[in-house]
């Protein structure tokens, strides 16, 4: 998972699939990355961008990961944005209406 920080934004780029087999691992890894930035007194984290362009599949537990990250964003006071979902992932987001609670942007 690639992670960069620029202009008060943390950009996270996971790859592969987000499904039951390893959804907790991915969720905890992303939360840990965010928490480390939030705890750094030299950093003012305003937003987290998760680039989904290299995620080719998300199941219902994967949707749960994003809901959990959204709740975490509210709790920790930062804006969560999902970027560039692949067509398959975007279809899952449309069916589950995830875009009604989380900002999802496509290029």
């Amino acid at each position: 998972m690639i992670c960069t920080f620029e202009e008060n934004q943390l950009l996270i780029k996971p790859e592969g699939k987000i499904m039951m087999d390893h959804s907790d691992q991915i969720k905890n890894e992303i939360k840990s990355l965010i928490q480390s930035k939030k705890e750094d007194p030299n950093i003012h984290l305003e937003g987290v961008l998760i680039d989904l362009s290299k995620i080719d599949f998300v199941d219902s537990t994967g949707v749960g990961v994003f809901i959990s990250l959204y709740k975490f964003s509210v709790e920790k006071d930062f804006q969560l944005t999902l970027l560039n979902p692949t067509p398959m992932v975007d279809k899952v987001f449309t069916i589950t209406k995830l875009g009604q609670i989380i900002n999802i942007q496509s290029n």
Side-chain angles (χ1 to χ4, degrees):
M1 185 173 323
I2 298 170
C3 177
T4 58
F5 185 76
E6 187 175 310
E7 297 179 15
N8 298 330
Q9 303 283 324
L10 180 63
L11 175 62
I12 301 171
K13 296 181 178 183
E15 296 182 5
K17 297 173 174 32
I18 301 179
M19 36 193 281
M20 191 169 78
D21 296 356
H22 56 281
S23 61
D24 280 341
Q25 176 188 351
I26 290 171
K27 175 182 67 180
N28 292 335
E29 187 175 342
I30 291 173
K31 282 184 174 181
S32 178
L33 288 168
I34 295 167
Q35 190 65 35
S36 68
K37 296 296 182 195
K38 289 295 283 183
E39 291 175 352
D40 187 331
N42 299 316
I43 292 177
H44 176 68
L45 180 65
E46 294 177 2
V48 174
L49 310 170
I50 302 178
D51 185 340
L52 302 174
S53 60
K54 298 202 181 217
I55 297 294
D56 50 13
F57 183 78
V58 172
D59 68 5
S60 60
T61 57
V63 171
V65 166
F66 296 117
I67 292 171
S68 176
L69 291 172
Y70 171 75
K71 290 178 181 178
F72 189 66
S73 75
V74 171
E75 175 186 318
K76 299 294 183 181
D77 192 31
F78 63 87
Q79 175 69 40
L80 176 66
T81 303
L82 305 180
L83 301 174
N84 308 317
T86 58
M88 178 66 79
V89 172
D90 193 44
K91 185 173 183 178
V92 172
F93 290 169
T94 299
I95 291 168
T96 60
K97 300 183 181 188
L98 191 64
Q100 291 181 1
I101 61 167
I102 300 175
N103 183 16
I104 302 172
Q105 297 178 9
S106 299
N107 280 348

